[in-house]
Amino acid sequence: MTGHGLLYCYGGYELLSALKRNELPLTDFADLPSPWLRGETGVGNEIELTEDQWQQALQARYAALPEHIRAAVDFAYFAAQMELKRDQLSAEILQTLVADQQADEALDLARHEGVTVLRLLESPLNPLGWQLLGEGYQGLCIGLQSGQALFQATAGQPRLLRHVRYGPHRTLQATDALPFPGWFEEPEALSAMQEWRLALPRRQARQRDGRSWLPLGTAVVSELYLGPGADDELADAVRDLQRLYQRYRQARRYSVRAAQRSFSLQGRPDNDDNNRSET
């Protein structure tokens, strides 16, 4: 993304209502659908106890025995007895190690809670985007000019537009390159989303009804797409939006349709007057 292309915001009637107010709905930390940022995380099978860690734990447990017991039982005998209960003890040792690690590497929740984001995709024809963000294929999405001031940081108005990084492991400690890892990382399974996020301080967003909203500039919306499952009521509402609001009148409007022979989507001009080419 060079800063001069289009990025797409998916939604439903909430997005349509926000457009009428010349703003966009943002996702606050409390509304981010990520179980890795909510409540307790478990040890599971993601790590295994190494032999060195096992031996170190045995040495620590042996050293903690009362002196009279250590005088009667040598370490070799103690280790052999512990080996009989290795499965149970390994789980306990792992739990302790992970708890210590989490204390050292806990995600800075307060830092993340002060941020709100605009979720964006690279394509208006993303099936996963329509399913998860586009009201189950029944909503709409809009194409936004990413080179507009809406996406630019200015003095006193920090903003960060960054591609989401997908992978098998999480980053817990913030860096200059990834100041808010909880916002810009997702599991590999979601890589088909090809998502971008625009992050900004929550205090700089409009606050209404317990939600954050981003003021929308002029000439930012270039395209409007109706989902493949959108009903006539939504289609009429989108057409009315362009008819009644001058700032959306020049946006090209498309209807998204499922392809006949492949699991892909197609964008077709919704009318002949405002749309001249097929995506």
Side-chain angles (χ1 to χ4, degrees), residues 13-249:
Y13 277 99
E14 181 185 62
L15 173 58
L16 182 63
S17 297
L19 290 174
K20 294 178 181 179
R21 301 191 302 268
N22 199 33
E23 57 189 20
L24 296 172
L26 296 170
T27 298
D28 292 330
F29 187 81
D31 302 317
L32 186 65
S34 173
W36 292 274
L37 302 175
R38 300 286 176 273
E40 297 293 330
T41 54
V43 176
N45 298 318
E46 61 183 331
I47 58 176
E48 295 181 358
L49 193 68
T50 67
E51 186 60 29
D52 285 344
Q53 289 172 325
W54 169 251
Q55 292 299 328
Q56 289 172 8
L58 290 185
Q59 291 283 359
R61 291 191 175 211
Y62 183 74
L65 292 174
E67 186 175 350
H68 69 281
I69 295 180
R70 281 189 281 114
V73 177
D74 63 16
F75 178 76
Y77 178 81
F78 174 80
Q81 295 301 307
M82 294 300 99
E83 191 70 35
L84 299 176
K85 300 188 290 183
R86 183 160 182 160
D87 289 345
Q88 175 186 344
L89 292 175
S90 292
E92 295 176 5
I93 295 168
L94 269 178
Q95 189 172 15
T96 300
L97 290 173
V98 170
D100 293 341
Q101 183 181 24
Q102 287 176 338
D104 294 335
E105 300 181 357
L107 190 69
D108 188 348
L109 292 182
R111 178 183 177 89
H112 283 65
E113 288 169 352
V115 172
T116 187
V117 302
L118 178 64
R119 302 184 66 180
L120 302 156
L121 303 189
E122 293 183 358
S123 170
L125 305 176
N126 187 316
L128 192 57
W130 280 108
Q131 182 170 328
L132 298 181
L133 302 177
E135 300 292 329
Y137 294 94
Q138 300 179 57
L140 70 151
C141 88
I142 58 173
L144 304 169
Q145 293 284 352
S146 61
Q148 296 288 334
L150 173 74
F151 296 96
Q152 308 303 316
T154 60
Q157 183 177 285
R159 291 188 179 179
L160 180 65
L161 178 64
R162 188 74 56 83
H163 194 287
V164 171
R165 186 166 68 183
Y166 302 94
H169 301 290
R170 302 171 62 199
T171 300
L172 294 174
Q173 293 185 338
T175 64
D176 290 341
L178 196 65
F180 305 102
W183 282 110
F184 290 100
E185 288 188 329
E186 291 288 358
E188 283 182 309
L190 295 177
S191 60
M193 289 282 282
Q194 289 297 296
E195 185 176 354
W196 289 69
R197 290 178 181 171
L198 175 69
L200 62 149
R202 191 169 182 267
R203 66 180 182 275
Q204 293 187 356
R206 292 176 181 170
Q207 301 298 319
R208 183 188 310 105
D209 301 326
R211 291 284 308 277
S212 297
W213 308 85
L214 180 65
L216 185 61
T218 59
V220 178
V221 178
S222 297
E223 297 177 350
L224 289 156
Y225 288 80
L226 288 164
D231 57 21
D232 291 341
E233 181 180 356
L234 180 61
D236 289 341
V238 170
R239 295 183 186 110
D240 286 342
L241 177 75
Q242 290 193 277
R243 180 174 58 85
L244 298 174
Y245 295 83
Q246 176 67 36
R247 56 183 171 271
Y248 305 120
R249 199 162 293 170

